[in-house]
């Protein structure tokens, strides 16, 4: 059965995702810039509520994004050290999986760093997802071949702005037969059935809506007085779409 993964940024969002029928969540902060590592307090709060794998109901737990900054995936020496520290920190907290990714200056998966982080996760019994850095690689199909035996799954839009537009490449990536393929990036409920039909392991979306607090004073150019929340109706609709495609 195709899994449903929801990207969430809060305890309330994580609870809504599981209650709505998600099989796992990707926990992060700052989805508006593609996501970065969430705070330790947030990680612990979500794990307290919904952490742990429950095979009986198909629950695959909390998978934490580890990304030290937005804007590219070629990391400096200092950032590589931070990645290692953050992976260890979320694993110590009990994360069921980590979501990581890094590229070389030539646009290929940074296998040395990724393998090191994946080995750390394996020591805790956690799974590893290589995130949409693969969509900025020189060749996503070649990249997933290189990641065989290193990570458990790859989150991808097939190199396109949205997964529906990258369906042909996603199908090629599935055919490689290496890491599982998780289709994500601009996914709408209407696109889910077609993406599931590609043979992907799962479908990933944020299922979010914007909430603006009336009368709030904006604190800067990036603050319009609002924030994103997980919409339980969208989660439920996504789960229904997957169930209908089975």
């Amino acid at each position: 059965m195709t899994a449903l993964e929801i990207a969430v940024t809060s305890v309330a969002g994580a609870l809504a995702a599981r209650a709505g029928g998600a099989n796992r969540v990707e926990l992060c902060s700052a989805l508006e810039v593609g996501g970065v590592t969430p705070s330790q307090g947030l990680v612990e709060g979500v794990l307290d509520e919904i952490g742990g794998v429950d095979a009986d109901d198909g629950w695959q737990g909390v998978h934490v994004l580890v990304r030290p900054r937005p804007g590219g995936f070629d990391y400096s020496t200092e950032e590589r050290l931070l990645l290692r520290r953050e992976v260890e920190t979320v694993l110590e907290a009990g994360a069921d999986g980590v979501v990581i990714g890094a590229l070389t200056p030539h646009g290929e998966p940074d296998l040395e760093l990724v393998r090191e982080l994946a080995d750390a996760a394996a020591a805790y019994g956690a799974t590893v997802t290589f995130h949409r850095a693969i969509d900025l690689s020189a060749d996503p199909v070649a990249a997933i071949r290189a990641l065989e035996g290193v990570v458990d799954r790859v989150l991808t839009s097939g190199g396109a702005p949205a997964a529906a537009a990258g369906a042909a490449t996603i199908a090629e990536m599935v055919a490689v037969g290496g890491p599982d393929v998780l289709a994500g990036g601009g996914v709408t409920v209407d696109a889910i059935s077609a993406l599931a039909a590609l043979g992907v392991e799962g479908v990933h979306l944020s299922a979010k809506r914007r909430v603006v607090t009336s009368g709030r004073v904006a604190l800067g150019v990036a603050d319009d007085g609002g924030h994103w929340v997980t919409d339980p109706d969208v989660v439920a609709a996504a789960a229904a779409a997957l169930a209908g495609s089975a």
Side-chain angles (χ1 to χ4, degrees):
M1 180 177 176
T2 308
L4 175 62
E5 179 177 285
I6 303 294
V8 301
T9 59
S10 67
V11 174
L15 288 168
R18 183 165 190 187
N23 300 104
R24 61 177 175 259
V25 296
E26 180 196 315
L27 178 63
C28 62
S29 290
L31 271 175
E32 61 273 16
V33 294
V36 295
T37 309
S39 72
Q40 185 66 7
L42 178 55
V43 171
E44 292 175 357
V46 171
L47 287 170
D48 284 347
E49 292 289 343
I50 63 167
V53 175
D54 186 346
D56 289 339
D57 67 0
W59 178 245
Q60 299 173 27
V62 179
H63 297 233
V64 180
L65 175 66
V66 179
R67 183 186 181 204
R69 58 158 169 82
F73 302 99
D74 177 13
Y75 294 115
S76 67
T77 299
E78 294 78 14
E79 289 167 335
R80 295 166 79 88
L81 178 59
L82 180 57
L83 275 163
R84 297 182 185 105
R85 286 176 171 168
E86 289 187 328
V87 164
E88 289 286 350
T89 298
V90 301
L91 291 170
E92 287 282 355
D96 303 297
V98 291
V99 183
I100 60 172
L103 300 176
T104 69
H106 303 291
E108 300 167 343
D110 186 336
L111 293 178
E112 178 183 357
L113 178 57
V114 172
R115 186 174 284 110
E116 180 180 351
L117 301 179
D119 286 347
Y124 286 83
T127 61
V128 180
T129 302
F130 190 95
H131 56 50
R132 288 190 62 206
I134 199 166
D135 293 324
L136 295 182
S137 66
D139 183 342
V141 177
I144 198 170
R145 288 195 180 98
L147 290 165
E148 183 172 3
V150 181
V151 302
D152 298 290
R153 70 182 62 85
V154 170
L155 171 62
T156 181
S157 64
T169 300
I170 292 173
E172 287 186 60
M173 296 170 78
V174 170
V176 167
D180 288 334
V181 177
L182 176 63
V187 172
T188 63
V189 171
D190 290 343
I192 287 176
S193 293
L195 291 171
L198 299 174
V200 296
E201 177 270 345
V203 176
H204 166 109
L205 65 157
S206 58
K208 65 184 186 295
R209 62 182 172 85
R210 190 75 170 163
V211 174
V212 178
T213 305
S214 177
R216 180 182 165 191
V217 176
L219 301 178
V221 294
D223 182 3
D224 65 357
H227 63 283
W228 294 99
V229 299
T230 303
D231 189 329
D233 292 337
V234 177
V235 177
L242 271 182
S245 67

